[in-house]
Amino acid sequence: MRRIHLKLCQQTKQHPNKRNRMAICKNIFFLLALCLWCGKCEVLYKQVGEEVSMDCGVGSNSAIDWKFNNDLIIGISKTGTKRMGPSHITSKARTYGDNLKVPRLETRDSGVYSCKQSGKQYKVCVVSVFAKPGPVLVQSSKAELHCDITGEPDTEVRWLRPDGQKYSVEKQLIVLTSVTSNEAGQWTCLINDGSKLSVTLTVVGPQTTAVNVSKGDDIELPCSLPLGVSQRVVGGKWKADHLPKVSFPSLTNTASKGLHWNGKDLSKVNFTTGQLSTNFDVTLKNVQTREAGTFVCTVEFEGGVSLSVETTLRVVDNPSGGKGSTTRKGKPTAVMESMTKEVYGLKLWIWIAIGASSVVLVGLIIVIGVVLRRNKQKKKRARKLRSMRQPLTDKDYCQCSRAEKEVELEEQARPLPVPRQNRNPRTRAAGPNHIN
């Protein structure tokens, strides 16, 4: 190793800048030292998003210094005092005793983790396992399966097919030129240490369906893509070979309007004029018996791959003999269809019912609160009016409760009783000798 280092450093002497030569030598020496260092360390392969756990082996009461590529992550003294390092791992790393855990691994978290006190070293290789352009693919399209090991692009891996058979190529990247239903399922990437990382492919093929409609009714012809289809839609169309005179719209994807139907004749075929996503249904108006047959919806993707949905339309004569209603049969109405769609695991109508009952409950709570507040204000007003009245005072109606002086004054002021003989005026006029 030393000879290699010296030889590489001698080759850099041709560089005109001495400072640059020294920096290159230092980097080469660091890489060589890292190789020797990691020759003794434990290698851990973890998938993106997983958690890695590493043990220092010195006990929870010892001082511990965890480093990532020689940069301090976190240091813990014997007293439990922590000091945080400049490494980007510091913000999410957690310590439990002498154990270090790093959750939500990213590719930049690949590197050498070391515990200074025990000398233990762990080389963590974050592996990205994915399908390109995505896990949901249209039949006959091209797909790439990646098992990228950060920092080790030349490491050979083994791939297992969904049926458990070994794939012939032992590389981190394999290419499926034309996927079929046989390639659908779980692909497993086997790494040297026995780690098994997987990605699941879903292959969407041609679809067939059948709908019934009464004569004179409108019917919606279904054409939709499964959620998660990875390829970009670039075009498409509807056609019915037995109806050459019926004008169907064509599917167009432009930078200004996005994915939309391109058509003007709405006399027989009705379609949405807004931007589309994965639903390409059209409505056939006033269906007649002669229009029964096969309708084909073709969706075109990047790379020249297409997907077709074939719908067989059956027309049933209306028993009443008259024109049927505009309600399409054989498939629920758009309103009913939207109401039965699942949102977060529950039907949409259930969410609407929950929302309506919640509004009623909130209204009742508000009414009860208003009534209680009004009653409280009335009681408060009544107490205020009672407090403003003059308090009633006791009156002394009983003579025994009066003061003695008041009684004496009243007795003095009271006139003396008149003698009985002086009370009769006749007696006073006749004199004392008058005899009745």
Side-chain angles (χ1 to χ4, degrees):
M1 285 296 180
R2 186 177 179 182
R3 291 178 181 177
I4 297 172
H5 174 242
L6 293 174
K7 185 177 181 180
L8 291 172
C9 289
Q10 288 173 359
Q11 291 177 356
T12 59
K13 290 182 179 179
Q14 299 176 0
H15 198 282
N17 193 328
K18 183 178 180 181
R19 182 176 297 177
N20 290 340
R21 292 201 305 269
M22 293 300 296
I24 293 172
C25 289
K26 287 181 180 179
N27 290 335
I28 294 172
F29 179 77
F30 175 76
L31 291 175
L32 293 174
L34 188 62
C35 292
L36 292 173
W37 192 14
C38 293
K40 302 178 182 179
C41 65
E42 183 178 351
V43 181
L44 302 175
Y45 293 92
K46 294 292 181 178
Q47 194 165 354
V48 171
E50 290 184 343
E51 179 183 80
V52 64
S53 179
M54 295 160 285
D55 186 18
C56 182
V58 296
S60 58
N61 296 327
S62 303
I64 300 173
D65 289 328
W66 280 103
K67 293 185 178 182
F68 172 71
N69 291 343
N70 212 31
D71 290 332
L72 180 65
I73 301 174
I74 187 171
I76 305 175
S77 65
K78 291 184 178 181
T79 59
T81 304
K82 294 183 179 181
R83 64 184 189 280
M84 314 308 286
S87 173
H88 73 276
I89 305 291
T90 303
S91 59
K92 61 180 179 180
R94 298 290 181 270
T95 56
Y96 302 90
D98 65 343
N99 187 270
L100 176 70
K101 290 186 178 182
V102 182
R104 305 182 304 279
L105 286 172
E106 308 171 53
T107 54
R108 64 173 182 165
D109 298 337
S110 298
V112 178
Y113 295 76
S114 61
C115 180
K116 178 181 177 182
Q117 283 69 20
S118 65
K120 273 194 173 183
Q121 303 149 15
Y122 300 86
K123 183 179 180 181
V124 177
C125 299
V126 182
V127 185
S128 302
V129 182
F130 60 93
K132 190 177 180 180
V136 183
L137 303 166
V138 178
Q139 184 173 307
S140 301
S141 61
K142 179 181 177 181
E144 296 179 356
L145 298 183
H146 291 255
C147 184
D148 297 343
I149 304 176
T150 306
E152 298 184 3
D154 298 328
T155 302
E156 291 186 352
V157 299
R158 289 181 297 162
W159 284 95
L160 296 182
R161 292 175 174 271
D163 57 2
Q165 298 297 319
K166 182 181 176 181
Y167 193 72
S168 57
V169 179
E170 295 185 352
K171 293 183 178 180
Q172 297 183 16
L173 169 63
I174 60 175
V175 179
L176 306 178
T177 56
S178 180
V179 296
T180 64
S181 57
N182 294 330
E183 273 83 35
Q186 181 174 288
W187 286 75
T188 304
C189 174
L190 299 178
I191 308 178
N192 297 332
D193 70 336
S195 300
K196 296 182 179 181
L197 309 174
S198 61
V199 59
T200 301
L201 291 184
T202 302
V203 179
V204 181
Q207 305 172 28
T208 58
T209 184
V211 293
N212 298 331
V213 62
S214 296
K215 182 180 178 181
D217 285 353
D218 296 348
I219 183 67
E220 189 172 272
L221 303 175
C223 180
S224 59
L225 297 178
L227 294 176
V229 172
S230 310
Q231 288 95 325
R232 179 175 176 267
V233 179
V234 295
K237 61 182 179 179
W238 273 95
K239 73 173 183 177
D241 293 336
H242 64 289
L243 299 175
K245 295 183 179 180
V246 176
S247 177
F248 288 94
S250 60
L251 198 60
T252 307
N253 197 344
T254 60
S256 58
K257 293 185 179 180
L259 190 62
H260 64 282
W261 286 119
N262 186 15
K264 297 180 180 179
D265 188 3
L266 300 176
S267 59
K268 189 61 180 178
V269 180
N270 191 18
F271 53 87
T272 179
T273 58
Q275 189 170 349
L276 304 173
S277 177
T278 59
N279 192 323
F280 311 112
D281 298 350
V282 296
T283 302
L284 191 64
K285 298 180 180 179
N286 191 20
V287 180
Q288 301 301 315
T289 306
R290 66 179 182 276
E291 295 170 351
T294 302
F295 296 78
V296 180
C297 171
T298 303
V299 182
E300 300 172 356
F301 301 87
E302 282 183 332
V305 183
S306 62
L307 177 67
S308 62
V309 179
E310 186 177 290
T311 302
T312 301
L313 177 64
R314 304 188 186 97
V315 181
V316 181
D317 290 336
N318 197 328
S320 62
K323 185 178 178 180
S325 64
T326 57
T327 304
R328 56 188 175 89
K329 299 179 181 178
K331 191 174 181 181
T333 61
V335 176
M336 292 300 297
E337 191 175 81
S338 61
M339 293 290 284
T340 55
K341 287 183 178 179
E342 288 194 0
V343 180
Y344 297 107
L346 292 177
K347 301 290 185 181
L348 181 59
W349 68 267
I350 297 177
W351 285 112
I352 294 175
I354 293 173
S357 58
S358 300
V359 171
V360 173
L361 181 61
V362 171
L364 289 175
I365 293 173
I366 292 174
V367 171
I368 293 173
V370 171
V371 172
L372 292 176
R373 185 176 180 182
R374 185 176 296 177
N375 292 339
K376 186 176 180 180
Q377 289 177 350
K378 286 183 178 180
K379 291 181 180 180
K380 187 176 180 180
R381 193 180 296 113
R383 288 195 300 266
K384 187 175 181 180
L385 291 175
R386 285 197 298 268
S387 64
M388 292 175 63
R389 295 176 182 174
Q390 292 294 334
L392 298 175
T393 57
D394 296 334
K395 292 185 177 182
D396 298 330
Y397 294 99
C398 183
Q399 186 176 3
C400 60
S401 62
R402 299 181 185 179
E404 293 181 359
K405 291 183 178 182
E406 293 180 359
V407 175
E408 292 177 358
L409 291 174
E410 287 187 1
E411 290 179 354
Q412 293 177 2
R414 185 179 299 172
L416 295 175
V418 180
R420 184 179 299 271
Q421 59 272 20
N422 294 336
R423 293 179 186 175
N424 194 336
R426 295 180 181 179
T427 305
R428 289 199 304 271
N433 296 325
H434 178 73
I435 299 173
N436 292 330

